[in-house]
Amino acid sequence: MKKGLVLEGGAMRGLWTAGVTDVMMEHDVWPDGLIGVSAGAAFGCNYKSRQVGRAIRYNTRFARDKRYSGLWSLVTSGDYFNANFGYHVVPYEYDLFDTKAFEENPMQFIVVCTDVLTGQAVYHDMQHVSYEELEWLRASASMPLVSKVVEVEGHKLLDGGVSDSIPLSYFESIGYDRNVVILTQPLGYRKAPSKLMPLMRLSLRKYPQFVKAMSERYLMYNKQLEYVTQAEAEGRCLVIRPDEKIPIGHISHDAEQMRRVYEIGRQVGERYIEKIKEFYAH
C-alpha cells in the first residue's frame, strides 16, 4: 500500500490547506508521496522539507511588500507574484527553505504544470532543489493573465490547475492506492465557465491549445469532483474540504485575513487528524 496526499490549488486558499497540512506534520503523519497543483505545490513543498508554519510565515511577512507581489511587480516583471524575489530570494535569504531536509526525505513530490503548447498536464518529480527545480514550482502556480509563461527543461508552462486540478486519478495510476485529498472548495461546489475567457483568448492567442483547455476547465474540474466523490464512496480516498467558502480571494495583501484562513485550516486539520491516521493505517 502506498499512501498519497493530493493537494489541489486555489491561490491564497492554499493557506487553508497549509493549516491542515501543518497539523498533519505536527502529528507525525508522513505519506509516501505528495502531488500538488499550483498553490498546492508551492506551499506543499514545505511538507517534504518538514517546515511547519513556513507558508503562513512568509506570506504574512511579505503581504504588502512590493518586491513579493502586487501591481508594481506585474508591471515591472510581468508576474503579479515576483518570480525572482518569491522563488529565488526569499527561500535563500529571508525564510530559509530546508534544502537538506527536502532532499533527504524519501517522500515523492510531484508538481503539476500545464504545457501551453499542448494544453496537457506535465507531471514533474521534484526530489532536489536548484534554480531550475524551483522554476517548476513557479510554473505550477503561475496563473494565466497575471504571469508570464515559464520556460523550463524545454517546456513552456503555466498553472497546473488548467489541465489537472485534482490529480487523484494520475496519482492512483502510478501506484498510490490510499490517498488523502485536500480540496479548497466546500461540498456541493461546482465550477462555472470563466468570465475571463474573452481576455484569455486575446492575451494567450499564441497558445490555442492552452486557450481550449482554459475554456473547458470547468468541465474537467467538475468531472474530477465526480471521480473524487466516487473514490471516496469506494473507500479509496479520504476527502477533506472546508465547511464553507474560504473567506479569501485568489489574491490578498491582508496579513490578518491570511492568518484567519490558516487558522480555519488548522481547526479542520485537528478535527480530521485521527481520521487521517486511521485511514492511512488500513
Side-chain angles (χ1 to χ4, degrees), residues 72-106:
W72 183 85
S73 175
L74 181 61
V75 170
T76 58
S77 73
D79 291 292
Y80 191 91
F81 291 93
N82 188 275
N84 185 62
F85 187 76
Y87 289 89
H88 303 294
V89 174
V90 170
Y92 293 102
E93 297 183 20
Y94 294 105
D95 199 313
L96 301 184
F97 185 67
D98 195 335
T99 298
K100 184 173 184 291
F102 182 94
E103 294 180 347
E104 290 180 352
N105 187 345

Side-chain angles (χ1 to χ4, degrees), residues 30-153:
W30 305 106
D32 302 306
L34 185 160
I35 187 166
V37 182
S38 193
F43 300 161
C45 65
N46 298 298
Y47 206 124
K48 184 170 166 64
S49 65
R50 303 186 180 222
Q51 290 180 275
V52 175
R54 184 172 178 270
I56 187 62
R57 189 170 60 237
Y58 72 74
N59 274 284
T60 52
R61 178 178 177 180
F62 296 107
R64 297 189 182 279
D65 192 321
K66 68 178 185 179
R67 296 173 298 171
Y68 184 64
S69 66
L71 292 178
W72 183 85
S73 175
L74 181 61
V75 170
T76 58
S77 73
D79 291 292
Y80 191 91
F81 291 93
N82 188 275
N84 185 62
F85 187 76
Y87 289 89
H88 303 294
V89 174
V90 170
Y92 293 102
E93 297 183 20
Y94 294 105
D95 199 313
L96 301 184
F97 185 67
D98 195 335
T99 298
K100 184 173 184 291
F102 182 94
E103 294 180 347
E104 290 180 352
N105 187 345
M107 176 193 297
Q108 187 172 23
F109 181 72
I110 295 179
V111 178
V112 184
C113 303
T114 301
D115 188 312
V116 298
L117 297 178
T118 66
Q120 299 298 308
V122 179
Y123 305 94
H124 179 71
D125 192 341
M126 180 177 171
Q127 294 303 312
H128 66 277
V129 180
S130 65
Y131 185 96
E132 192 169 67
E133 291 297 305
L134 291 172
E135 287 290 275
W136 280 98
L137 275 184
R138 180 167 78 90
S140 182
S142 290
M143 297 183 291
L145 298 182
V146 294
S147 307
K148 292 186 298 185
V149 170
V150 180
E151 297 191 28
V152 56
E153 294 187 25

Side-chain angles (χ1 to χ4, degrees), residues 210-223:
F210 183 82
V211 171
K212 182 175 184 292
M214 277 296 309
S215 69
E216 297 174 351
R217 182 183 184 184
Y218 75 103
L219 298 172
M220 175 271 296
Y221 185 88
N222 293 337
K223 186 174 181 180

